[in-house]
Amino acid sequence: MKQYPYIIVGGGMTADAAVNGIRRRDRDGEILIISDEPFPPYQRPPLSKKLWLGMRMEETWLPGWQRQRGVTLLLGSAVAAIDAEARTVVLWTGAAYEYGQLLLATGGRPRTLDSGGSRVFYPGNMVEHIRLFQTLQEPTEVLVVGGGFIGSEMTAVLSSAGHSVTWLMAEREPFIDFLPDTLRSRVLQEYHAHGVALHGGQQVTGFETADSEVVAVTESGQRFQGSVAVAGLGFIPNDELARPLGLTAEKGGVKVDALLRTAQDGIWAAGDVSVLGAEGALMMHEDHAVTQGRRAGENMAGAAKPYDHLPFYYSDIYDFGYEAIGECRLTLDVVEDWVVPGEEGVVYYLMDGQVRGVLNWNVWDGVPKARDLIQSGQRWSKGELIGQIRN
Ligand SMILES: Cc1cc2nc3c(=O)[nH]c(=O)nc-3n(C[C@H](O)[C@H](O)[C@H](O)COP(=O)(O)OP(=O)(O)OC[C@H]3O[C@@H](n4cnc5c(N)ncnc54)[C@H](O)[C@@H]3O)c2cc1C
């Protein structure tokens, strides 16, 4: 049986970053990446953004692992089980490999509804996006289901690309707990300007498909018809390999300590699948995947550095782009600092005068400063916050 000092299960952004992390400390140790996808590591965020607006598929590839010596990539190969005693991973094909250190970078997959055939799309990985891309070659009536970040981005890009979009969500309006009124109404105006028919308060429970149409059926019995449906219903962690080893958190995900170790010697986890600490939650964002993946790689190669990064996430909607860090929810006190209301500015979310979250709206390079404000624990008056981040 072939032995590798490092095996990474999953070939996403976390895996790519982990290779870079390992190579910071170990220039030669052989690395095996095992991925069940047919593609080398690629960036996922452009799939729901620039890919629809002219970006070429190959621009999403992450070249990091290719530049490193001693990295073998096994594509289209799913790991079926881990034998922690024997320190081996076993593929569904029966092939087995022995590891020195093993990283679980298996990410997450879209939550799905039981019903619905090939006209229902769950935009997660590249294969599903290509399938959707091939289907939407002509202007099409699309149902987008879900008011979260995938739903909001897919509605924006598909309506920009000339499709007629009906957007259904359980919430009364999108961003209802997140964006203050000034901003939310500006964003909704943009969706309306692109012809989006928005229906809030519609909990979709299933799909019916027939010939060339799909119908989304809601809890209240309403029916919405389109040619295809695109559902963004959240993601669930791919933690199945860790379950038999007792390494999963109650709400799902693989539990890790500050060094990103699981409770099993030689097994680490990072990225969308990991849950940090006893009170931790899943963090399914690029900055988290990249920084945690890199740190896991360094630690697998002996660094013993804690992961204490406060990650941000970002999104694009039409010509708006935002970066959010910390707790950005309207149950906190809100201070708005606009250059142009609804177009460019910063929203602070505070508790007892302390900054808990920051939203930079069409304001760039403000994440480090926002992180400092949150981590300082200092109390701020509204006047003191104005101009802290924006120019
Ligand atoms: C469409 C889309 C848009 C996004 N946009 C943004 C954004 O704008 N901003 C942002 O901050 N974040 C965004 N994200 C989130 C970000 O892309 C993820 O947080 C990041 O890609 C997670 O990387 P990962 O490597 O941990 O997991 P994944 O990317 O899920 O990769 C895990 C890989 O492991 C494979 N795998 C799973 N189980 C096995 C197994 N048993 N054997 C072999 N392989 C296995 C999976 O197939 C997958 O290839 C977006 C995500 C998606 C899907």
Side-chain angles (χ1 to χ4, degrees):
M1 184 187 306
K2 174 116 173 121
Q3 202 270 347
Y4 288 88
Y6 308 100
I7 293 183
I8 301 172
V9 187
M13 301 182 83
T14 300
D16 181 77
V19 169
N20 290 325
I22 292 168
R23 283 290 176 261
R24 283 183 174 188
R25 292 186 57 92
D26 181 348
R27 290 170 59 88
D28 303 311
E30 272 194 272
I31 303 171
L32 175 66
I33 303 176
I34 306 172
S35 172
D36 60 5
E37 289 195 63
F39 304 106
Y42 59 89
Q43 302 169 60
R44 292 204 175 205
L47 298 182
S48 52
K49 304 177 188 66
K50 293 182 189 157
L51 197 64
W52 294 90
L53 305 171
M55 183 182 186
R56 293 195 318 278
M57 209 70 91
E58 58 270 29
E59 290 177 64
T60 68
W61 303 143
L62 286 163
W65 68 274
Q66 275 173 323
R67 285 199 292 264
Q68 314 286 354
R69 278 183 304 129
V71 182
T72 303
L73 184 59
L74 210 54
L75 293 176
S77 304
V79 172
I82 299 166
D83 183 337
E85 287 295 305
R87 290 178 96 100
T88 55
V89 293
V90 184
L91 309 195
W92 284 104
T93 57
Y97 302 93
E98 197 179 327
Y99 60 83
Q101 305 297 323
L102 175 69
L103 177 65
L104 296 176
T106 46
R109 61 181 177 277
R111 198 178 293 283
T112 58
L113 294 173
D114 289 342
S115 55
S118 61
R119 294 196 159 268
V120 181
F121 295 81
Y122 294 97
N125 62 25
M126 180 78 91
V127 168
E128 187 71 343
H129 280 268
I130 291 174
R131 195 171 76 85
L132 181 59
F133 206 70
Q134 286 170 337
T135 306
L136 297 184
Q137 290 300 305
E138 301 288 329
T140 304
E141 289 186 359
V142 183
L143 300 173
V144 174
V145 180
F149 89 90
I150 291 284
S152 64
E153 289 188 349
M154 292 306 295
T155 298
V157 284
L158 295 180
S159 59
S160 295
H163 302 290
S164 160
V165 181
T166 299
W167 188 13
L168 310 173
M169 68 201 68
E171 306 87 323
R172 183 165 53 79
E173 276 184 354
F175 317 113
I176 194 95
D177 302 323
F178 171 39
L179 300 183
D181 288 348
T182 341
L183 192 46
R184 201 168 64 248
S185 43
R186 176 65 191 92
V187 178
L188 291 183
Q189 193 188 347
E190 205 57 31
Y191 281 111
H192 290 137
H194 284 79
V196 173
L198 196 156
H199 298 269
Q202 300 292 348
Q203 176 86 43
V204 172
T205 52
F207 297 102
E208 291 173 10
T209 47
D211 300 332
S212 58
E213 72 172 41
V214 56
V215 176
V217 183
T218 72
E219 204 170 41
S220 61
Q222 291 207 51
R223 298 166 67 82
F224 294 87
Q225 186 186 319
S227 294
V228 302
V230 175
L233 307 174
F235 287 81
I236 47 178
N238 294 322
D239 58 10
E240 289 76 7
L241 294 174
R243 274 190 218 153
L245 304 175
L247 304 179
T248 46
E250 209 172 302
K251 290 184 182 163
V254 182
K255 281 189 288 187
V256 290
D257 66 11
L259 297 180
L260 308 177
R261 298 174 298 199
T262 68
Q264 184 70 50
D265 183 44
I267 302 183
W268 311 70
D272 278 11
V273 79
S274 78
V275 173
L276 183 64
E279 304 291 313
L282 290 161
M283 304 267 272
M284 296 179 145
H285 305 299
E286 173 178 338
D287 181 41
H288 175 70
V290 171
T291 49
Q292 204 182 50
R294 192 165 51 228
R295 180 50 49 91
E298 289 178 282
N299 287 349
M300 288 163 76
K305 292 186 198 165
Y307 176 76
D308 52 10
H309 181 70
L310 178 61
F312 74 96
Y313 63 96
Y314 66 93
S315 181
D316 293 341
I317 300 164
Y318 299 113
D319 289 334
F320 302 123
Y322 68 81
E323 295 176 335
I325 182 162
E327 296 169 60
C328 299
R329 49 188 168 85
L330 295 180
T331 47
L332 298 171
D333 300 327
V334 169
V335 172
E336 297 174 52
D337 183 11
W338 293 110
V339 179
V340 181
E343 303 288 339
E344 182 184 337
V346 178
V347 181
Y348 298 92
Y349 302 80
L350 298 97
M351 186 185 281
D352 300 328
Q354 291 179 330
V355 179
R356 303 294 288 262
V358 177
L359 170 68
N360 293 330
W361 189 263
N362 276 352
V363 166
W364 306 107
D365 304 322
V367 166
K369 178 72 183 177
R371 191 175 280 128
D372 287 348
L373 292 175
I374 294 170
Q375 290 180 330
S376 74
Q378 201 178 321
R379 287 181 200 280
W380 299 85
S381 67
K382 180 179 174 183
E384 287 169 335
L385 280 174
I386 300 301
Q388 282 288 337
I389 293 180
R390 69 163 175 86
N391 293 320

